[in-house]
Amino acid sequence: MTAPAIELKGISKAFGPVQANKDISIRVMPGTIHGIIGENGAGKSTLMSILYGFYKADAGEVFISGQKTDIPDSQAAIAAGIGMVFQHFKLVENFTVLENIILGAEDGGLLRPSLAKARTTLLELEKEYDLKVDPDAVIEEIGVGMQQRVEILKALYRQANILILDEPTGVLTPAEADQLFRILGRLREEGKTIILITHKLREIMEITDTVSVMRRGEMTATVKTADTSPEELAELMVGRKVLLRVDKTPAKPGAVVLDVKNLKVVDDQGVERLRGIDLQVRAGEVLGIAGVAGNGQSELLEVLGGYADATGTVTLNGTPIELTGKNADGRSRRNHGIAHVPEDRQREGLIMDFAAWENTAFGYHRDPAYQSGILLNNAAIKTDTQAKMDRFDVRPPHPHLAAKNFSGGNQQKIVLAREIERNPDLLLIGQPTRGVDIGAIEFIHQQIVALRDQGKAILLVSVELEEILSLADRVAVMFDGQIMGERQSTETNEKELGLLMAGVQT
Amino acid sequence: MDVMPKWAEVVLVPLISLALAAILSALVILAIGEDPVAAVKLMVSGALGSTYGWGYTLYYATNFMFTGLAVAVAFHAGLFNIGGEGQAMLGGLGVALVCLFIPWPHWTLAILGATVGAAVFGAAWAAIPAYLQAKRGSHIVITTIMFNFIAAAVLNYMLVNVLRPQGSMDPATQRFPEAVHLPSLHELLAPLGISFSKAAPANVSLLIAIVACVAVWLLIWRTALGLEIRSYGKSGRAARYAGIGSVRITMIAMLISGGLAGMMAINNVMGEAERLVLNAVEGAGFIGIAVALMGRSHPFGVFLAAILFGFLYQGGAELALWTSIPRELIVVIQALVILFTGALDNMVRMPLERLFLAIRKSRTAKATKPAE
């Protein structure tokens, strides 16, 4: 019997009082794709960081091809034949593909021979794995799918036999993801071992041979993919039965709440980010904006949320909203009745060093209910925060804890509680469940649907097609700053939307 | 969860830093052939051993409280105001104008007027770099440094060409009228039956500095504006999301900062010199940066750090006076304190965090063992 490509025995790692990995053991056979799935904070990334030499395990052993191996740093990991493709690419934007590939793996002080050697190797790799890239293209000029290929080639150039991919499809269109999976399949055929970290059940089912489930730092199960189902995996991840589809009744759209006409945004570099957007959101419906990240969805939210200048007309319940000047800011938007759950909750929606109660007041801190004289009425804010935390089941329910000490899902609940409980006419919500664990996703989706059922208008931006399809009543697809098309969510599918997302008019 | 308990964070880290700075200073003193123990004794007795010493220590500390608070407020908004020196100089000009050209009936009114004058002039001097940063993106560190030089030149011009009394060779204003004389601690404490050195310059401004500490604490931690300033300092993007204008916060924070720096002049110009001289600030604007760093930008920390630096200043002066330790060495000692408490913070913090982590681990291990 062949030795496993990677075997971990009893890996444990604690950060202070938090046990990130608890006695984890897995075996991954060569020439297979092994999925690791788990909620955010389940310890997947920690485990892989140990394997790649970023962290030192408190206990446990690593065996590579049957050999016990110490991995004190990433150099050692590369030497052991491990390659890692991070969620956020580690590429130098203004270097060419070739330069990025040799970066850190140059032979000698002169670049020319290394580049020449890399060029030949690259051609070989291209043939062997069907991985096409232009070696002289500059990174910032090629798409994300291509950039990811460069990352994979970087690992292969360093003779990696084991590839770890961390959430690789987060930034890809469905079509690009399919292409990635074809590449991974090809690598498997050539005998490479692949570890795929993801929280998307669909990907696990599609490509992996075996799958391990992690929950709260422990490996709860390792099963053959063929023998399991998405429902079972979800249950293993969360520890209880989970509703994968959102439970909701058909929308009863009312009057138009948000009316956007010919909205245009030009960024600092003079690039037109929104090129004439027209859309309407009615009371009692969720309009989902689908699209690959970076096609103008963020700009749309920023304009509507009041922190980017734009031209065009936007009305809320018939009242025009200012798009430039002094009153085009977040505060006046809130006064208009627009609440906003921003895409990047850690950098926009929350201030991580602030206590939960300060974050609950944040944005609404001028509310008279929060003042006493010229001072803030801290006691009132704390009481309010406590009530909101209880209603939204924020754990732990301590208003004094800093935002950074909550998990992603609970952070999102703090933001949601703050925005939803203001009873807005329009809720803007970006990536509501990014970095949020499955258990909390269910809760957040229920809150959004409940708000809709109260007759509020909701504009949802998400890069997760699954989420859009299950949550939105209507779907508008954005590509390159324009709306490519609108569909009823019940009358479309991922394939059709995927084509629109890629800019193909159907 | 935070690794260290709060008391370790706010008390232990600065104390260890301070101890390290002291040890290194002792080695330097040893190296030049002097006795460090005797030096420390002299510093302590010189700065804290008499009401005269205390009077000087507190006088310096008052200066540092104002400039330290100035830097701290700007820090909270994520702005590095290095211009405390220039703002304090201009504050001096404001005090001088208020004291010379308004006939005050009593010092109690005069000090209010002078405080306003000092704050307005200091704030105005900070307003220009603030505006340039907010509207034009000129980096505030660069502009505030530049404005220190411009302030010195302005003061030079004003004192030589405008405010110098006729026939005087000294680039300074005439003496302020008797009515604006501020009571020293000696005069303040005498009615309470406490005798305090007559010669020491500490005066009623100390109380204003303490009030300023409390006011800044209230502003930063207890008001909506303070929340906005802190938010902007922590995350510009989050502030933008919340509708907190960057121009507005930059202007307000710098105006407050400059105002506080300017207010130092009621201590050194009105309280001590009783006239405006060249270079009245004597570097207190820069010491304010160290004070704010060591005080972690918290008004109470600034208060304590200001007293420490007041001690170093006064103790250092005594050293220079009574020993052959050269004056420059005192600067070295002060620099070491700044280096350790301000710049090398992580050098102490990291091992300490590891220590606390180890302690907690062994504790939890002990706590869980019997259960096994």
Side-chain angles (χ1 to χ4, degrees):
Chain A
M1 192 184 147
T2 46
I6 285 198
E7 183 167 15
L8 303 179
K9 279 187 185 163
I11 298 280
S12 290
K13 172 78 187 169
F15 296 102
V18 182
Q19 192 75 33
N21 284 165
K22 207 186 284 175
D23 193 22
I24 289 190
S25 303
I26 39 172
R27 297 156 64 98
V28 182
M29 300 310 287
T32 63
I33 299 182
H34 185 91
I36 294 185
I37 194 164
E39 298 186 291
N40 271 79
K44 302 176 302 234
S45 297
T46 306
L47 187 64
M48 289 308 120
S49 298
I50 288 170
L51 198 49
Y52 201 61
F54 284 168
Y55 295 139
K56 199 178 164 309
D58 299 336
E61 295 171 321
V62 177
F63 294 84
I64 309 278
S65 307
Q67 294 284 315
K68 183 171 171 342
T69 313
D70 266 335
I71 306 177
D73 53 33
S74 53
Q75 292 295 326
I78 292 167
I82 300 173
M84 183 119 171
V85 176
F86 293 93
Q87 194 175 0
H88 302 285
F89 306 144
K90 316 264 182 213
L91 296 171
V92 183
E93 294 264 304
N94 54 353
F95 276 19
T96 64
V97 169
L98 209 55
E99 286 169 329
N100 266 290
I101 283 176
I102 62 161
L103 187 66
E106 308 91 343
D107 337 75
L110 289 176
L111 279 182
R112 194 182 284 266
S114 319
L115 284 170
K117 189 187 137 207
R119 193 180 292 275
T120 13
T121 320
L122 204 60
L123 280 173
E124 285 162 19
L125 288 173
E126 212 179 287
K127 257 185 234 138
E128 201 174 344
Y129 302 109
D130 204 15
L131 271 164
K132 277 211 178 20
V133 288
D134 172 8
D136 298 311
V138 179
I139 292 297
E140 58 196 353
E141 286 161 9
I142 61 180
V144 274
M146 203 59 100
Q147 292 182 6
Q148 193 169 50
R149 254 181 245 180
V150 176
E151 283 283 8
I152 295 173
L153 280 167
K154 249 168 79 181
L156 294 175
Y157 183 72
R158 286 158 178 73
Q159 272 139 29
N161 282 314
I162 301 157
L163 261 183
I164 305 170
L165 292 105
D166 190 5
E167 303 279 0
T169 59
V171 289
L172 303 182
T173 61
E176 282 173 322
D178 286 342
Q179 242 167 24
L180 171 71
F181 289 161
R182 273 202 295 281
I183 292 170
L184 295 184
R186 185 69 191 264
L187 289 167
R188 168 170 56 188
E189 281 168 30
E190 300 294 328
K192 303 280 181 194
T193 309
I194 294 164
I195 297 181
L196 179 72
I197 303 169
T198 180
H199 65 274
K200 292 183 188 163
L201 294 165
R202 189 176 68 90
E203 291 169 6
I204 290 286
M205 298 309 295
E206 203 172 311
I207 182 94
T208 63
D209 301 303
T210 48
V211 53
S212 296
V213 182
M214 288 190 73
R215 169 152 49 99
R216 287 190 200 149
E218 289 181 75
M219 194 69 81
T220 49
T222 297
V223 290
K224 277 209 161 57
T225 311
D227 301 341
T228 185
S229 66
E231 285 74 19
E232 187 193 10
L233 286 178
E235 200 181 326
L236 283 168
M237 275 165 76
V238 185
R240 63 182 164 84
K241 282 228 182 293
V242 182
L243 217 53
L244 281 180
R245 293 218 50 106
V246 181
D247 205 9
K248 62 170 187 176
T249 54
K252 300 181 194 73
V256 173
V257 173
L258 178 74
D259 194 357
V260 176
K261 284 202 182 82
N262 197 26
L263 192 66
K264 289 185 180 172
V265 168
V266 179
D267 73 5
D268 298 339
Q269 274 90 44
V271 180
E272 211 172 32
R273 292 291 175 182
L274 292 185
R275 310 195 301 167
I277 298 283
D278 297 292
L279 57 83
Q280 290 188 331
V281 190
R282 292 173 176 276
E285 75 165 354
V286 178
L287 174 68
I289 306 280
V292 179
N295 276 294
Q297 305 96 310
S298 306
E299 285 78 5
L300 179 63
L301 281 182
E302 286 176 3
V303 167
L304 296 176
Y307 48 94
D309 285 352
T311 59
T313 52
V314 176
T315 58
L316 188 80
N317 292 323
T319 321
I321 300 276
E322 292 189 45
L323 296 175
T324 50
K326 212 167 167 296
N327 283 327
D329 71 351
R331 190 184 300 174
S332 57
R333 290 294 198 271
R334 286 176 179 82
N335 292 338
H336 274 297
I338 301 178
H340 182 186
V341 177
E343 289 185 293
D344 189 341
R345 76 178 144 275
Q346 304 204 333
R347 255 172 293 181
E348 289 185 346
L350 294 167
I351 293 182
M352 300 308 274
D353 287 337
F354 279 13
W357 68 269
E358 287 172 304
N359 274 303
T360 295
F362 188 57
Y364 301 97
H365 51 274
R366 297 275 176 183
D367 181 347
Y370 287 160
Q371 316 293 321
S372 79
I374 57 163
L375 298 183
L376 280 177
N377 190 345
N378 289 3
I381 301 174
K382 284 173 198 168
T383 318
D384 188 34
T385 306
Q386 187 73 62
K388 285 185 170 135
M389 287 178 124
D390 291 343
R391 279 197 292 275
F392 276 73
D393 189 30
V394 177
R395 275 179 259 178
H398 302 321
H400 282 280
L401 218 53
K404 63 182 173 198
N405 293 328
F406 291 92
S407 71
N410 284 303
Q411 287 172 357
Q412 186 70 316
K413 284 182 192 172
I414 294 174
V415 180
L416 264 182
R418 178 180 75 203
E419 300 299 327
I420 286 183
E421 299 240 326
R422 287 278 150 183
N423 200 20
D425 294 331
L426 170 69
L427 177 69
L428 308 171
I429 182 162
Q431 319 299 350
T433 55
R434 177 186 281 172
V436 167
D437 37 75
I438 285 201
I441 287 177
E442 203 183 342
F443 181 85
I444 289 167
H445 283 173
Q446 281 164 0
Q447 295 300 320
I448 295 172
V449 171
L451 194 70
R452 181 202 74 165
D453 292 342
Q454 286 168 35
K456 309 295 181 185
I458 293 165
L459 182 77
L460 162 78
V461 169
S462 175
V463 291
E464 306 275 349
L465 258 188
E466 239 181 297
E467 176 164 54
I468 296 258
L469 277 172
S470 59
L471 205 54
D473 304 305
R474 269 187 311 129
V475 185
V477 181
M478 275 184 84
F479 174 75
D480 198 19
Q482 285 175 309
I483 304 263
M484 291 301 292
E486 258 188 46
R487 300 284 186 273
Q488 292 295 320
S489 63
T490 45
E491 291 161 14
T492 186
N493 54 40
E494 292 206 6
K495 200 170 160 223
E496 186 187 14
L497 294 179
L499 281 172
L500 287 170
M501 281 163 74
V504 181
Q505 203 55 265
T506 46
Chain B
M1 196 184 275
D2 295 326
V3 182
M4 280 196 287
K6 195 147 188 178
W7 64 267
E9 168 84 30
V10 296
V11 179
L12 211 54
V13 173
L15 277 185
I16 293 176
S17 304
L18 216 54
L20 287 174
I23 291 168
L24 212 58
S25 304
L27 289 177
V28 174
I29 294 173
L30 263 183
I32 61 165
E34 295 279 339
D35 177 5
V37 178
V40 170
K41 270 190 191 151
L42 188 61
M43 278 182 85
V44 172
S45 70
L48 310 172
S50 63
T51 58
Y52 173 82
W54 268 106
Y56 266 96
T57 299
L58 290 176
Y59 164 72
Y60 291 126
T62 308
N63 285 342
F64 302 153
M65 276 176 217
F66 283 120
T67 53
L69 286 175
V71 176
V73 168
F75 264 158
H76 278 293
L79 299 165
F80 198 175
N81 177 14
I82 305 196
E85 192 80 6
Q87 290 143 18
M89 280 183 212
L90 263 288
L93 187 59
V95 166
L97 295 178
V98 165
C99 289
L100 288 171
F101 295 105
I102 300 174
W104 296 100
H106 192 262
W107 68 265
T108 45
L109 293 174
I111 196 170
L112 292 178
T115 305
V116 171
V120 166
F121 271 67
W125 204 245
I128 306 166
Y131 179 84
L132 290 174
Q133 158 96 47
K135 288 280 191 188
R136 303 252 163 248
S138 319
H139 202 286
I140 204 149
V141 168
I142 310 289
T143 47
T144 49
I145 290 181
M146 295 303 190
F147 266 66
N148 287 338
F149 292 101
I150 303 174
V154 167
L155 231 65
N156 207 332
Y157 172 82
M158 289 300 287
L159 289 176
V160 172
N161 298 313
V162 183
L163 295 171
R164 179 170 53 95
Q166 287 239 307
S168 164
M169 300 288 282
D170 189 13
T173 67
Q174 66 190 67
R175 233 182 138 68
F176 297 161
E178 195 51 38
V180 306
H181 165 76
L182 293 184
S184 66
L185 285 191
H186 166 75
E187 289 158 287
L188 280 178
L189 293 174
L192 304 173
I194 303 166
S195 69
F196 200 88
S197 165
K198 227 179 190 167
N203 60 74
V204 69
S205 317
L206 172 64
L207 300 181
I208 296 192
I210 293 170
V211 170
C213 286
V214 176
V216 167
W217 179 79
L218 283 171
L219 167 77
I220 295 294
W221 302 102
R222 301 303 296 270
T223 66
L225 178 63
L227 183 79
E228 291 183 351
I229 290 176
R230 283 185 293 130
S231 315
Y232 180 70
K234 288 279 184 203
S235 166
R237 285 180 57 186
R240 197 181 58 154
Y241 154 79
I244 297 166
S246 67
V247 174
R248 185 171 149 264
I249 295 299
T250 304
M251 290 303 294
I252 290 179
M254 280 303 285
L255 287 176
I256 296 173
S257 176
L260 283 164
M263 278 162 69
M264 179 193 131
I266 57 170
N267 187 45
N268 68 334
V269 176
M270 192 181 186
E272 199 252 351
E274 304 196 333
R275 60 183 189 138
L276 183 60
V277 298
L278 268 184
N279 192 26
V281 184
E282 292 181 307
F286 294 114
I287 299 288
I289 299 169
V291 167
L293 280 173
M294 188 172 179
R296 306 236 163 281
S297 297
H298 193 287
F300 188 62
V302 167
F303 174 79
L304 292 179
I307 291 178
L308 171 77
F309 275 86
F311 158 78
L312 284 176
Y313 242 61
Q314 171 56 13
E318 291 285 315
L319 270 191
L321 198 59
W322 299 110
T323 68
S324 56
I325 296 176
R327 173 121 206 123
E328 286 69 29
L329 197 73
I330 285 89
V331 182
V332 170
I333 294 174
Q334 285 160 1
L336 281 170
V337 172
I338 296 173
L339 188 69
F340 275 91
T341 57
L344 296 180
D345 186 62
N346 271 344
M347 194 179 77
V348 175
R349 186 183 303 272
M350 303 291 252
L352 214 59
E353 280 183 355
R354 246 173 269 147
L355 181 73
F356 273 97
L357 213 60
I359 292 173
R360 190 178 309 167
K361 234 182 239 169
S362 70
R363 252 193 225 146
T364 45
K366 257 181 220 155
T368 48
K369 259 215 180 103
E372 278 174 15

